Amino acid sequence: MLNNQYDPKAIEKKWQGIWSEQKYFKSEDASDKPKYFCLEMFPYPSGKIHMGHVRVYAIGDVISRYKRLRGFHLLHPMGWDSFGLPAENAAIQKGIHPAEWTLRNIAAMREQLKSMGLSYDWDREVTTCLPDYYRWTQWFFIKMFEKGLAYKKKSSVNWCPSCLTVLANEQVEEGKCWRCESVVGQKELEQWFFKITAYAERLLEGCERLTHWPERVLTMQKNWIGKSIGAEIDFPLEIEDSRGALRVFTTRPDTLFGATFISIAPEHPLAVILARNTPQEKAVGAFIEKIKAQDKESRTSELAEKEGVFTGSYAIHPLTGWKIPIWVANFVLLEYGTGAVMAVPAHDQRDFEFAGKYHLPVKVVIQNPEAALLSGPVLGSTDPQVGPMREAYIAPGVLVDSGPFTGLPSEEAKGKITERLSNERKGKAKINYRIRDWGVSRQRYWGTPIPMIYCKDCGTVPVPEDRLPVILPTDVPFTGKGGSPLAESEKFVRAECPRCHQEGRRETDTMDTFVDSSWYFLRYVSPHATDRPVDRKKGEFWLPVDQYVGGIEHAVLHLLYARFFTKVLHDLEVISIDEPFSSLLTQGMVIKDGAKMSKSKGNVVDPDYLIHQYGADTSRLFSLFAAPPEKDLEWNDQGVEGSYRFLNKVWNLYTAFHEPFNRTVSSPLAGRAEGKALLRKTHQTIKKITEDMEKDFHFNTAVAALMELFNTVADYVSRPERVEPGALKFTLETFVLLLSPFAPHIAEELWESLGEKTPIFDPRSVRLWPAFDPEELIADEMVIVIQVNGKLRGKLQVPYHSDGESIKQNALNDPKIKEWIQDKRIHKVIYVEKKLVNIVAG
Ligand code: ANZ
Ligand code: ZN
């Protein structure tokens, strides 16, 4: 018997209790059913879930529950991305130890997630800050070190003066720290790097196989990897006691004859040397100092003012022998290509602006064959103005003024010129990648310690496997000042060299938290394995992740790093897959009053309040109904009220009508037209929702279809005398099953009220998702249009399965049609299947 009043609190508590006590969502590592690994990006344990979490976890839960009902064997786990800055900041500000702060937050958030009724296998929980997990993060680090994929080098790093830490390029947004928004500076440090560049080509190739990833994400990944096909060209130097050459990288060797100067990066080692003993020496020194103080992002942005200074020296053009001035320019990066560029102002916009500013010559070497001739002053001209060109001509075209290559199409000339340079040993074809190695050192406490020991005789020695994990010490003061906090712990720093046993020093940097999250999804496969990170056999059963759900903000970094790790671990034979996520869904943000919900904007809605006030089912239903998953969700109080009202109406209808179902149900289920129409609507809804779920997860239209079906039922039962119990029972059962992935608690309760003994999500129940009967989708009758000489003259209602001949006869015998054709000869009667009859008469 159902209560008269919908009481989400009571129902949700009851079903969450049953699910967890009877371990409905525990995943065994084998099954006859096909497996399905559904995963949402795990949260950082900040202390409280927010609406963004509600949204992403509701999406993942609907997919998981739907797949369960479709007969899949699910893995749906949850964990905590629990190393990171906020814990340490809390330690500095509030004096709580990061471990305590983090574990307390995890406990609170676990309860919140449980109150949403998410179908997780909580026995597989993974927590990256615990030694049983980070021990394997350290193990991977050592394996990568042994393979030459982890190495140390001195490099200029982004330094946040407020967080006092190194930031990865990706953590710098418009020159500011991604977390605290302080302006980022530069600092030289010895740093650990992962050689992701060694995997650039495979990461790029892999994109082709990711056919179930959003195009937008793939484009961002490809751009980040940034493959450029071109050439390296040597420009001999014209300075005393140097017979060397300045090497440039270009993607446009076809424009070689238009190179009128060379630009090098301010950090380029030749910058100072070239200026030495020239009148430019002082100016170059000052310029370099000025640029070094700026951060790279803003310096090289397209909008940044192009600036530079002449070095006082020249290089020789490799094919024409011309003398070409060498400049230092702010937009040239040392880390990319060779750190030097042959400037072709006529065909490169940055060079064009630079030439305009410093009155450098512009020489056109590519003409658009379809347009008026471009003209710019030629090299050596006394008129240094940029001429009639308003911007660089960057499109392909035909070569002019290019010696023996004049007249060639530019695409063809790229190869020809490269070939010639190559033959003369003045250059060669070259592929460059924009992606840089991944700097993983952090001068922070709350992260995975890097398991390395420095010995004055043996050098850099990894901690032996059987001595892992290197445990984070607890005797570290949190002042928020200075370098690595671990360096403050004497006990930690002093360590015996594993090779020669004399005293050495431990590495005191910890790893970027992106390292932790680069393999957590693999750990869910065998979360308790103590002798290996991932059980390979179990991995073969569960991997890859079939569906990954998370925010678009992770489109580049997390996803790229996770793909990189997967490939490395594949090569180490830890796992057999080499792409981690078969299908990716990137959900939109939750917006309120036109801005992303955030504490700083003061526009947050607390999920606790929502769940307390309306229940988990309403919260889930609202967040799934309000927008398609990949679009932003605009918060709206009425929407929540609406979802709540809907569930109340559903409840009330079932309370009123669960009586008749106890009667035996006859077959066929319906004899009357109304009953047949109800069954038809039910089958159509099954079809619609199944398609929405299968295709791009259109949960919002699926919920809309459910609401429509509900209205049809409500209308049907409004006149009890016409209700046929069979038809109603079928529809009410179906409706509950269709509702169950979205609002699982109320669905279980209603299912029980229908007299069902096995709960919907009981793993022992057989496949439950309803199937539609194609026959039932069809109406009994159909309407056929009758035309006479192509003009609409009447309509015919006939049984759906009528044959063409009898329809034609019916049309000819129709009294209205008879009037139109009475004095005419019938030439032809055409029947268009299930649509129309056309009578040709005259
Ligand atoms: C001559 C040229 C002529 C270029 C032309 C472009 C157009 P992507 O596609 O990003 O690889 N370049 C090379 N190294 C650079 C560096 N370290 N810093 C800044 N710019 C650099 O771009 C390659 C092009 O960017 C190269 O081709 C070079 O300019 C410039 F009509 O060479 B080009
Ligand atoms: Zn040693």
Side-chain angles (χ1 to χ4, degrees):
M1 273 295 283
L2 292 178
N3 251 331
N4 282 337
Q5 268 281 295
Y6 172 43
D7 180 1
K9 260 203 205 98
I11 300 172
E12 292 176 3
K13 192 163 168 241
K14 168 180 163 185
W15 286 102
Q16 284 165 19
I18 293 174
W19 293 335
S20 98
E21 276 153 32
Q22 307 194 11
K23 301 223 179 265
Y24 275 18
F25 306 119
K26 186 173 172 60
S27 312
E28 298 304 331
D29 289 316
S31 171
D32 318 331
K33 299 177 185 174
K35 69 93 185 178
Y36 193 89
F37 187 171
C38 181
L39 183 68
E40 302 102 57
M41 290 179 186
F42 67 163
Y44 178 78
S46 55
K48 242 176 167 326
I49 62 167
H50 53 65
M51 281 309 297
H53 292 129
V54 171
R55 187 169 193 208
V56 60
Y57 300 136
I59 290 172
D61 203 54
V62 168
I63 297 173
S64 296
R65 288 180 185 263
Y66 167 74
K67 291 287 178 184
R68 270 180 219 280
L69 298 184
R70 297 238 39 175
F72 286 89
H73 183 62
L74 262 283
L75 176 56
H76 188 214
M78 182 39 74
W80 310 99
D81 188 10
S82 45
F83 272 136
L85 282 176
E88 208 161 331
N89 290 342
I92 295 162
Q93 285 157 15
K94 302 191 192 121
I96 311 173
H97 194 275
E100 190 190 334
W101 185 84
T102 304
L103 295 177
R104 202 190 282 172
N105 288 348
I106 289 176
M109 286 173 76
R110 189 191 295 118
E111 286 317 301
Q112 285 188 298
L113 291 184
K114 285 191 171 168
S115 75
M116 279 184 67
L118 303 168
S119 58
Y120 295 127
D121 178 354
W122 283 104
D123 291 348
R124 289 182 188 253
E125 192 174 335
V126 157
T127 307
T128 59
C129 69
L130 296 180
D132 70 335
Y133 182 86
Y134 70 66
R135 147 190 203 156
W136 298 111
T137 310
Q138 293 173 337
W139 187 83
F140 290 137
F141 189 98
I142 291 167
K143 292 286 163 206
M144 287 166 78
F145 175 75
E146 287 165 357
K147 285 222 150 196
L149 291 171
Y151 66 94
K152 220 175 176 190
K153 75 171 179 203
K154 195 159 194 147
S155 78
S156 139
V157 293
N158 302 304
W159 179 257
C160 172
S162 150
C163 300
L164 294 173
T165 191
V166 176
L167 299 172
N169 285 340
E170 309 86 82
Q171 293 170 326
V172 180
E173 289 163 358
E174 290 170 12
K176 296 191 177 140
C177 172
W178 69 317
R179 280 196 197 269
C180 76
E181 300 194 1
S182 315
V183 174
V184 171
Q186 298 293 309
K187 192 169 174 166
E188 284 277 318
L189 277 178
E190 278 274 322
Q191 300 280 299
W192 283 99
F193 284 83
F194 283 162
K195 210 186 243 169
I196 192 170
T197 51
Y199 281 74
E201 193 57 44
R202 274 170 71 189
L203 287 166
L204 198 61
E205 273 168 17
C207 289
E208 302 309 318
R209 280 179 282 139
L210 300 176
T211 49
H212 290 88
W213 278 42
E215 207 42 56
R216 174 158 78 125
V217 174
L218 290 175
T219 306
M220 286 163 85
Q221 297 242 324
K222 287 182 203 159
N223 288 346
W224 190 266
I225 297 165
K227 181 177 184 173
S228 289
I229 300 171
E232 277 181 358
I233 304 177
D234 289 339
F235 284 68
L237 289 172
E238 225 210 8
I239 49 174
E240 280 168 59
D241 60 74
S242 169
R243 277 179 290 129
L246 186 52
R247 181 166 290 180
V248 304
F249 170 70
T250 178
T251 48
R252 296 291 307 271
D254 54 315
T255 63
L256 178 56
F257 287 80
T260 56
F261 58 99
I262 284 177
S263 304
I264 65 176
E267 302 87 348
H268 197 292
L270 276 179
V272 178
I273 297 168
L274 291 171
R276 194 169 293 155
N277 301 330
T278 75
Q280 290 297 98
E281 189 165 0
K282 269 222 169 78
V284 169
F287 183 75
I288 292 172
E289 282 314 306
K290 176 178 146 190
I291 299 300
K292 269 193 180 158
Q294 299 172 0
D295 77 282
K296 276 171 202 149
E297 296 296 312
S298 47
R299 177 181 129 192
T300 53
S301 102
E302 248 167 76
L303 299 173
E305 171 83 13
K306 310 288 172 288
E307 279 186 286
V309 63
F310 178 44
T311 59
S313 294
Y314 295 83
I316 308 294
H317 190 288
L319 294 186
T320 65
W322 288 327
K323 245 177 88 169
I324 292 185
I326 303 170
W327 285 63
V328 178
N330 65 342
F331 60 86
V332 181
L333 286 177
L334 182 66
E335 302 86 354
Y336 187 65
T338 61
V341 178
M342 68 175 202
V344 184
H347 305 296
D348 179 278
Q349 187 57 27
R350 288 175 308 184
D351 297 342
F352 185 82
E353 288 168 31
F354 195 87
K357 179 163 177 176
Y358 296 109
H359 307 292
L360 291 159
V362 177
K363 185 189 170 203
V364 173
V365 290
I366 310 284
Q367 287 285 0
N368 179 351
E370 263 117 58
L373 287 188
L374 301 165
S375 65
V378 288
L379 189 64
S381 153
T382 47
D383 173 12
Q385 289 306 304
V386 170
M389 290 176 84
R390 287 173 183 279
E391 55 184 9
Y393 176 74
I394 59 174
V398 172
L399 267 65
V400 297
D401 246 333
S402 295
F405 304 97
T406 300
L408 282 180
S410 50
E411 283 308 313
E412 196 184 325
K414 282 182 181 170
K416 288 265 156 62
I417 293 181
T418 307
E419 198 185 310
R420 159 98 180 260
L421 290 167
S422 192
N423 289 340
E424 297 182 9
R425 300 188 179 281
K426 291 173 175 167
K428 58 173 192 296
K430 170 85 186 173
I431 292 172
N432 255 318
Y433 297 91
R434 193 154 288 278
I435 188 169
R436 298 277 71 101
D437 279 340
W438 172 15
V440 295
S441 288
R442 295 292 179 275
Q443 289 67 49
R444 279 280 158 181
Y445 170 77
W446 195 233
T448 303
I450 292 177
M452 289 291 163
I453 294 171
Y454 301 107
C455 168
K456 75 176 178 350
D457 295 329
C458 311
T460 307
V461 185
V463 173
E465 250 176 65
D466 60 6
R467 276 186 241 164
L468 293 180
V470 175
I471 296 277
L472 264 176
T474 46
D475 59 335
V476 173
F478 297 101
T479 57
K481 300 273 144 47
S484 297
L486 290 182
E488 307 292 316
S489 167
E490 261 300 301
K491 271 216 315 274
F492 178 82
V493 173
R494 271 206 248 158
E496 183 191 282
C497 167
R499 271 191 207 139
C500 71
H501 306 292
Q502 67 177 311
E503 192 174 302
R505 275 183 63 83
R506 259 183 220 288
E507 168 65 65
T508 56
D509 284 356
T510 54
M511 291 183 225
D512 180 4
T513 56
F514 275 102
V515 180
D516 307 323
S517 56
S518 292
W519 74 278
Y520 78 105
F521 47 92
L522 301 171
R523 185 66 180 168
Y524 287 131
V525 160
S526 49
H528 309 297
T530 50
D531 58 343
R532 66 197 73 185
V534 188
D535 184 307
R536 199 180 151 100
K537 272 261 137 39
K538 291 179 183 174
E540 273 161 17
F541 178 68
W542 284 119
L543 298 171
V545 173
D546 294 280
Q547 181 64 54
Y548 199 25
V549 186
I552 187 79
E553 67 275 17
H554 295 295
V556 177
L557 299 175
H558 163 58
L559 290 171
L560 195 68
Y561 294 154
R563 293 183 59 219
F564 166 57
F565 254 68
T566 302
K567 288 179 194 302
V568 172
L569 297 184
H570 167 268
D571 295 354
L572 287 168
E573 293 181 9
V574 171
I575 49 173
S576 52
I577 53 158
D578 89 330
E579 279 293 340
F581 313 121
S582 302
S583 182
L584 174 69
L585 174 66
T586 46
Q587 94 279 358
M589 295 185 296
V590 181
I591 306 274
K592 187 163 182 264
D593 312 324
K596 178 178 175 172
M597 269 191 192
S598 75
K599 261 200 215 123
S600 59
K601 297 244 164 50
N603 62 350
V604 288
V605 175
D606 182 2
D608 262 351
Y609 161 80
L610 207 64
I611 292 170
H612 187 78
Q613 194 75 7
Y614 299 99
D617 283 337
T618 294
S619 313
R620 296 166 56 119
L621 195 68
F622 164 74
S623 75
L624 294 161
F625 177 51
E630 69 281 4
K631 293 271 157 54
D632 287 348
L633 183 160
E634 178 79 47
W635 180 263
N636 147 357
D637 293 324
Q638 286 85 43
V640 181
E641 284 285 345
S643 295
Y644 186 60
R645 262 201 314 276
F646 173 67
L647 292 181
N648 269 286
K649 281 194 290 184
V650 170
W651 182 268
N652 294 339
L653 186 128
Y654 278 76
T655 350
F657 272 85
H658 69 281
E659 266 314 301
F661 315 130
N662 300 333
R663 291 189 213 148
T664 35
V665 163
S666 63
S667 167
L669 300 179
R672 311 165 67 129
E674 294 97 330
K676 286 184 180 168
L678 180 69
L679 289 178
R680 186 156 64 243
K681 182 74 185 173
T682 307
H683 280 283
Q684 286 166 345
T685 308
I686 299 172
K687 177 166 189 278
K688 163 82 180 141
I689 294 181
T690 308
E691 283 169 2
D692 283 345
M693 302 299 270
E694 292 293 327
K695 223 180 96 239
D696 305 330
F697 301 120
H698 282 162
F699 309 122
N700 57 326
T701 52
V703 174
L706 259 179
M707 292 176 169
E708 226 182 280
L709 177 61
F710 178 79
N711 290 338
T712 309
V713 191
D715 182 57
Y716 181 70
V717 298
S718 66
R719 279 199 279 135
E721 69 281 4
R722 66 182 179 183
V723 167
E724 291 172 279
L728 183 56
K729 182 174 159 79
F730 175 76
T731 299
L732 290 185
E733 279 175 2
T734 305
F735 179 85
V736 167
L737 292 175
L738 295 175
L739 178 68
S740 67
F742 300 92
H745 311 85
I746 189 173
E748 288 282 25
E749 190 69 18
L750 298 177
W751 184 246
E752 195 180 67
S753 82
L754 294 175
E756 297 287 346
K757 295 281 174 292
T758 317
I760 301 174
F761 292 101
D762 187 324
R764 284 159 304 181
S765 57
V766 278
R767 177 189 119 116
L768 271 177
W769 188 253
F772 63 88
D773 179 349
E775 281 292 312
E776 294 279 355
L777 296 175
I778 299 162
D780 290 350
E781 304 205 301
M782 58 183 173
V783 174
I784 300 290
V785 165
I786 312 173
Q787 299 177 337
V788 177
N789 294 332
K791 291 213 173 71
L792 175 68
R793 297 302 184 202
K795 279 180 185 161
L796 209 58
Q797 185 146 11
V798 295
Y800 188 81
H801 291 293
S802 311
D803 64 294
E805 274 317 305
S806 66
I807 291 174
K808 285 185 197 172
Q809 273 314 314
N810 279 348
L812 292 168
N813 291 336
D814 189 274
K816 260 209 248 120
I817 299 301
K818 275 193 166 149
E819 280 174 35
W820 287 102
I821 55 176
Q822 48 183 310
D823 326 308
K824 298 187 178 130
R825 246 192 61 199
I826 313 278
H827 296 296
K828 227 195 226 166
V829 183
I830 303 155
Y831 171 57
V832 178
E833 185 75 16
K834 300 202 179 345
K835 284 211 176 77
L836 63 82
V837 172
N838 187 17
I839 302 167
V840 185

